[in-house]
Amino acid sequence: WQGSYIGTETLRLVEFTAFVEQQGEQDACKQQHRFVHIDPTPTSDSPLEVVDVRQIYDKFPERGGGLRDLYDQGPSHAFFLVKFWADLSFPLPEEEPGGTGGAFYGVSSRYEGPRALTLSCTSKVCSFGKQVVEKLETAEPPHWEDGHFVFQLQRSPLCEYLINFIRKLRTLPEKPMMDSVLENFTILQVLRDQETEELLLCVAFVFEVSASERGAQHHIYRLGRD
Ligand code: G9O
């Protein structure tokens, strides 16, 4: 598990997408815009750079199941940090206050591993290091594909907090203003074997806005502590 991907010997993140989908104006097709995306192809084979987990303690709850507690419990090789440069450049139609203009905001993720298990995913959305939303989901029962089990959480609707957050962020006039709001916005995802509660992966997400012509980007780090 030394490659440039998020994963251990028990579970690997293969794909992750947060998106908005809306009906095209000209045709009957749905148009999808990806805010953030991790694709199945690792960018290189070289080991990931390590970030000291203590540097990001204050961006997440620390105690009571927060990042510091989780890291203390380990296993430490299951902890990762993803910096996303989110693409917010997609034009959305006029939306009435409190509505989504008929658009669907969702997140899909796909994992693989050697064991058939029930995969649970807890997501904590944090503002100024404090949890504002927590969501617990269970992946679809795994299916066997190409020599491993595949786990999917498909088209999970984004919570209202996140939808409103993205929509408000888009109204800010400049990237530096959006980035300064995003300095205090983080998400922590913990994946466990639901039966044994074994921690399989813990991924901390931090954000900036992508320069519009570059599209969504990301960089993956391993979290460590000496
Ligand atoms: C700049 C903001 C981009 C937002 C990206 C959202 C990433 C979504 C990560 C998963 C969150 C799951 C929790 C959830 O849906 N709560 O509703």
Side-chain angles (χ1 to χ4, degrees):
W1 58 89
Q2 290 292 325
S4 64
Y5 54 83
I6 296 173
T8 69
E9 69 286 10
T10 10
L11 192 70
R12 172 175 174 166
L13 172 65
V14 181
E15 194 161 10
F16 183 94
T17 312
F19 62 88
V20 59
E21 234 172 45
Q22 61 188 331
Q23 204 72 43
E25 276 180 23
Q26 309 291 336
D27 50 37
C29 298
K30 289 238 159 62
Q31 292 179 352
Q32 190 183 83
H33 171 78
R34 293 166 166 184
F35 299 119
V36 297
H37 180 61
I38 296 174
D39 66 37
T41 328
T43 42
S44 82
D45 280 337
S46 44
L48 297 171
E49 288 169 64
V50 179
V51 166
D52 192 314
V53 68
R54 288 169 291 198
Q55 284 182 25
I56 60 163
Y57 276 164
D58 65 345
K59 292 189 170 289
F60 300 92
E62 289 190 40
R63 296 299 187 189
L67 183 58
R68 184 200 287 253
D69 277 352
L70 289 168
Y71 197 88
D72 287 349
Q73 288 152 19
S76 58
H77 71 281
F79 285 71
F80 295 85
L81 169 67
V82 178
K83 166 97 182 244
F84 277 127
W85 285 267
D87 183 354
L88 298 183
S89 65
F90 192 65
L92 284 173
E94 278 303 303
E95 294 165 354
E96 72 283 10
T100 57
F104 174 74
Y105 291 74
V107 56
S108 293
S109 51
R110 179 180 163 99
Y111 303 82
E112 64 186 35
R115 277 169 25 200
L117 45 84
T118 305
L119 185 66
S120 76
C121 174
T122 308
S123 305
K124 291 174 195 271
V125 179
C126 306
S127 173
F128 291 90
K130 301 272 181 298
Q131 180 183 310
V132 286
V133 180
E134 182 175 36
K135 190 168 178 183
L136 173 62
E137 294 169 284
T138 306
E140 296 160 24
H143 64 271
W144 182 254
E145 193 180 302
D146 295 335
H148 44 244
F149 290 97
V150 174
F151 306 85
Q152 299 190 104
L153 290 123
Q154 293 190 86
R155 301 179 64 80
S156 166
L158 280 191
C159 62
E160 230 172 278
Y161 180 91
L162 280 177
I163 296 173
N164 289 334
F165 182 81
I166 292 169
R167 290 175 57 201
K168 280 196 192 128
L169 203 57
R170 284 166 45 87
T171 64
L172 296 175
E174 292 166 0
K175 173 172 154 52
M177 289 168 82
M178 298 185 193
D179 287 343
S180 91
V181 171
L182 286 170
E183 265 175 40
N184 303 305
F185 170 79
T186 54
I187 297 176
L188 189 68
Q189 282 202 323
V190 180
L191 292 124
R192 293 183 188 272
D193 177 333
Q194 190 167 277
E195 268 95 58
T196 63
E197 299 208 337
E198 174 190 356
L199 184 147
L200 304 173
L201 277 184
C202 178
V203 188
F205 296 108
V206 297
F207 299 87
E208 268 187 38
V209 173
S210 167
S212 58
E213 67 282 0
R214 300 198 63 200
Q217 314 267 308
H218 69 275
H219 196 89
I220 304 169
Y221 303 87
R222 179 175 292 288
L223 286 170
R225 191 172 67 189
D226 295 329

Coordinates of all heavy atoms in Angstrom, one line a residue, residues 4-6 13-16 35-43 48 81-87 205-208 210 214-221:
S4 N 0.5 5.6 -5.1 CA 0.0 7.0 -5.0 C -1.5 7.0 -5.0 O -2.1 7.9 -5.6 CB 0.6 7.8 -6.2 OG 0.0 7.2 -7.3
Y5 N -2.1 6.1 -4.2 CA -3.5 6.1 -4.1 C -3.9 6.0 -2.7 O -3.1 5.8 -1.8 CB -4.1 4.9 -4.9 CG -3.5 3.6 -4.5 CD1 -4.0 2.9 -3.4 CD2 -2.4 3.0 -5.2 CE1 -3.4 1.7 -3.0 CE2 -1.9 1.8 -4.8 CZ -2.4 1.2 -3.7 OH -1.8 0.0 -3.3
I6 N -5.3 6.2 -2.5 CA -5.8 6.2 -1.1 C -6.2 4.7 -0.8 O -7.1 4.2 -1.4 CB -7.0 7.1 -1.0 CG1 -6.6 8.5 -1.2 CG2 -7.7 6.9 0.3 CD1 -7.7 9.5 -1.3
L13 N -9.7 3.3 -2.2 CA -10.6 4.2 -2.9 C -10.3 4.2 -4.4 O -9.1 4.5 -4.8 CB -10.5 5.6 -2.3 CG -11.3 6.7 -3.0 CD1 -12.8 6.5 -2.9 CD2 -10.9 8.1 -2.5
V14 N -11.3 3.8 -5.2 CA -11.0 3.8 -6.6 C -11.5 5.0 -7.3 O -10.9 5.5 -8.2 CB -11.7 2.5 -7.2 CG1 -11.5 2.4 -8.7 CG2 -11.3 1.3 -6.5
E15 N -12.7 5.5 -6.9 CA -13.3 6.7 -7.6 C -14.1 7.5 -6.6 O -14.8 6.9 -5.8 CB -14.1 6.2 -8.8 CG -14.5 7.3 -9.7 CD -14.9 6.8 -11.1 OE1 -15.1 5.6 -11.3 OE2 -15.0 7.6 -12.0
F16 N -14.1 8.8 -6.8 CA -14.9 9.7 -5.9 C -15.3 10.9 -6.7 O -14.4 11.6 -7.3 CB -14.0 10.1 -4.7 CG -14.7 10.9 -3.7 CD1 -15.3 10.3 -2.6 CD2 -14.7 12.3 -3.8 CE1 -15.9 11.1 -1.6 CE2 -15.4 13.1 -2.9 CZ -16.0 12.5 -1.8
F35 N -17.8 18.8 -9.3 CA -17.1 19.8 -8.4 C -15.7 19.3 -8.1 O -14.7 20.0 -8.1 CB -17.9 20.0 -7.1 CG -19.2 20.6 -7.3 CD1 -20.3 19.9 -6.9 CD2 -19.4 21.8 -7.9 CE1 -21.6 20.4 -7.0 CE2 -20.7 22.3 -8.1 CZ -21.8 21.6 -7.6
V36 N -15.7 18.0 -7.7 CA -14.4 17.4 -7.4 C -14.4 15.9 -7.9 O -15.5 15.4 -8.0 CB -14.1 17.3 -5.8 CG1 -14.0 18.7 -5.3 CG2 -15.2 16.6 -5.1
H37 N -13.3 15.4 -8.2 CA -13.2 14.1 -8.8 C -11.9 13.4 -8.5 O -10.8 14.0 -8.7 CB -13.5 14.2 -10.3 CG -13.4 12.9 -11.0 ND1 -14.4 11.9 -10.7 CD2 -12.6 12.4 -12.0 CE1 -14.1 10.8 -11.5 NE2 -13.1 11.1 -12.3
I38 N -11.9 12.2 -8.1 CA -10.7 11.3 -8.0 C -11.0 10.2 -8.9 O -12.0 9.5 -8.8 CB -10.5 10.8 -6.6 CG1 -10.2 12.0 -5.6 CG2 -9.3 9.8 -6.6 CD1 -10.0 11.6 -4.2
D39 N -10.1 10.0 -9.9 CA -10.4 9.0 -10.9 C -9.6 7.7 -10.6 O -8.7 7.7 -9.8 CB -10.2 9.5 -12.3 CG -8.8 9.8 -12.6 OD1 -7.9 9.1 -12.1 OD2 -8.5 10.8 -13.3
P40 N -10.0 6.6 -11.3 CA -9.4 5.3 -11.0 C -8.0 5.1 -11.3 O -7.4 4.2 -10.9 CB -10.3 4.3 -11.8 CG -11.4 5.1 -12.3 CD -11.1 6.5 -12.3
T41 N -7.4 6.1 -12.1 CA -6.0 5.9 -12.5 C -5.0 6.6 -11.6 O -5.0 7.8 -11.7 CB -5.8 6.4 -14.0 OG1 -7.1 6.2 -14.7 CG2 -4.7 5.7 -14.7
P42 N -4.2 5.9 -10.9 CA -3.2 6.6 -10.1 C -2.3 7.4 -11.0 O -1.9 7.0 -12.1 CB -2.4 5.5 -9.4 CG -3.2 4.3 -9.5 CD -4.1 4.5 -10.7
T43 N -1.9 8.6 -10.5 CA -1.0 9.5 -11.4 C 0.4 9.0 -11.4 O 1.1 9.3 -12.4 CB -1.1 10.9 -10.9 OG1 -1.0 10.9 -9.5 CG2 -2.4 11.6 -11.3
L48 N 3.4 8.4 -1.6 CA 2.8 9.7 -1.3 C 3.6 10.5 -0.4 O 4.3 10.0 0.5 CB 1.4 9.5 -0.7 CG 0.4 8.8 -1.6 CD1 -0.9 8.5 -0.7 CD2 0.0 9.6 -2.8
L81 N -4.9 12.5 3.4 CA -5.4 13.9 3.3 C -5.5 14.1 1.8 O -4.6 13.8 1.0 CB -4.4 14.8 3.9 CG -4.5 16.3 3.6 CD1 -5.8 16.9 4.3 CD2 -3.3 17.1 4.1
V82 N -6.7 14.7 1.4 CA -6.8 15.1 0.0 C -7.1 16.6 -0.1 O -8.0 17.1 0.6 CB -8.0 14.4 -0.7 CG1 -8.2 14.8 -2.1 CG2 -7.9 12.9 -0.6
K83 N -6.2 17.3 -0.8 CA -6.5 18.7 -1.1 C -7.2 18.7 -2.5 O -6.7 18.3 -3.5 CB -5.2 19.4 -1.2 CG -5.2 20.8 -1.8 CD -5.4 21.9 -0.7 CE -5.5 23.3 -1.3 NZ -4.4 24.1 -1.0
F84 N -8.4 19.3 -2.5 CA -9.2 19.4 -3.7 C -9.1 20.9 -4.1 O -9.3 21.8 -3.3 CB -10.6 19.1 -3.5 CG -11.0 17.6 -3.6 CD1 -11.7 17.0 -2.5 CD2 -10.7 16.9 -4.7 CE1 -12.0 15.7 -2.6 CE2 -11.0 15.5 -4.7 CZ -11.7 14.9 -3.7
W85 N -9.0 21.1 -5.4 CA -9.2 22.4 -6.1 C -10.5 22.2 -6.8 O -10.6 21.5 -7.9 CB -8.1 22.8 -7.0 CG -6.9 23.2 -6.3 CD1 -6.5 24.5 -6.0 CD2 -5.8 22.4 -5.8 NE1 -5.3 24.5 -5.3 CE2 -4.9 23.2 -5.2 CE3 -5.6 21.0 -5.8 CZ2 -3.7 22.7 -4.6 CZ3 -4.4 20.5 -5.2 CH2 -3.5 21.4 -4.6
A86 N -11.6 22.7 -6.2 CA -13.0 22.4 -6.7 C -13.3 23.2 -7.9 O -12.9 24.4 -7.9 CB -14.0 22.6 -5.6
D87 N -14.0 22.7 -8.9 CA -14.4 23.4 -10.0 C -15.9 23.9 -9.8 O -16.8 23.1 -9.8 CB -14.4 22.5 -11.3 CG -14.8 23.2 -12.5 OD1 -15.2 24.4 -12.5 OD2 -14.6 22.6 -13.6
F205 N -10.5 15.9 3.9 CA -10.6 16.7 2.7 C -10.5 18.1 3.1 O -11.2 18.6 4.0 CB -11.9 16.5 2.0 CG -12.2 15.1 1.5 CD1 -13.1 14.3 2.1 CD2 -11.5 14.6 0.4 CE1 -13.4 13.0 1.7 CE2 -11.8 13.3 -0.1 CZ -12.7 12.5 0.6
V206 N -9.6 18.8 2.3 CA -9.5 20.3 2.4 C -9.6 20.9 1.0 O -9.4 20.1 0.1 CB -8.2 20.8 3.1 CG1 -8.1 20.3 4.6 CG2 -6.9 20.3 2.3
F207 N -10.0 22.1 0.9 CA -10.4 22.7 -0.4 C -9.9 24.0 -0.7 O -9.6 24.9 0.2 CB -12.0 22.8 -0.4 CG -12.7 21.5 -0.2 CD1 -13.0 21.1 1.1 CD2 -13.1 20.8 -1.2 CE1 -13.7 19.9 1.3 CE2 -13.8 19.6 -1.0 CZ -14.1 19.1 0.2
E208 N -9.7 24.2 -2.0 CA -9.6 25.6 -2.6 C -10.4 25.5 -3.9 O -10.9 24.5 -4.2 CB -8.1 25.9 -3.0 CG -7.3 26.6 -1.9 CD -5.9 27.0 -2.4 OE1 -5.8 27.4 -3.6 OE2 -5.0 26.9 -1.6
S210 N -10.6 25.9 -7.9 CA -9.8 25.7 -9.1 C -9.8 27.0 -9.9 O -10.9 27.6 -10.0 CB -10.2 24.5 -9.9 OG -9.7 24.5 -11.1
R214 N -8.7 25.4 -15.4 CA -8.0 24.2 -15.1 C -8.9 23.0 -14.7 O -8.5 21.9 -14.7 CB -7.0 24.4 -14.0 CG -6.0 25.5 -14.3 CD -4.8 25.4 -13.4 NE -4.1 24.2 -13.5 CZ -3.2 23.7 -12.6 NH1 -3.0 24.4 -11.5 NH2 -2.6 22.6 -12.8
G215 N -10.1 23.3 -14.4 CA -11.0 22.2 -14.0 C -10.7 21.7 -12.6 O -9.7 22.2 -12.0
A216 N -11.4 20.7 -12.1 CA -11.1 20.1 -10.8 C -9.8 19.4 -10.7 O -9.4 18.7 -11.7 CB -12.3 19.2 -10.4
Q217 N -9.1 19.6 -9.6 CA -7.8 19.0 -9.4 C -7.7 18.5 -8.0 O -8.5 18.9 -7.2 CB -6.6 20.0 -9.5 CG -6.7 21.0 -10.6 CD -5.9 20.5 -11.8 OE1 -4.8 20.2 -11.7 NE2 -6.6 20.5 -13.0
H218 N -6.8 17.6 -7.8 CA -6.6 17.1 -6.4 C -5.2 16.7 -6.2 O -4.4 16.3 -7.1 CB -7.6 16.0 -6.0 CG -7.3 14.7 -6.8 ND1 -7.7 14.5 -8.0 CD2 -6.5 13.6 -6.4 CE1 -7.3 13.3 -8.4 NE2 -6.6 12.8 -7.4
H219 N -4.8 16.6 -4.9 CA -3.5 16.1 -4.5 C -3.7 15.2 -3.3 O -4.4 15.6 -2.3 CB -2.5 17.2 -4.3 CG -1.1 16.7 -4.2 ND1 -0.3 16.6 -5.4 CD2 -0.3 16.2 -3.3 CE1 0.9 16.1 -5.1 NE2 0.9 15.9 -3.8
I220 N -3.1 14.0 -3.3 CA -3.3 13.1 -2.2 C -2.0 13.0 -1.3 O -0.9 12.9 -1.9 CB -3.6 11.7 -2.7 CG1 -4.8 11.7 -3.6 CG2 -3.8 10.7 -1.6 CD1 -5.0 10.4 -4.4
Y221 N -2.2 13.1 0.0 CA -1.0 12.9 0.9 C -1.4 11.8 1.9 O -2.5 11.5 2.2 CB -0.9 14.2 1.8 CG -0.6 15.4 1.0 CD1 -1.7 16.2 0.5 CD2 0.6 15.9 0.7 CE1 -1.6 17.4 -0.2 CE2 0.8 17.1 -0.1 CZ -0.3 17.8 -0.5 OH -0.1 18.9 -1.2

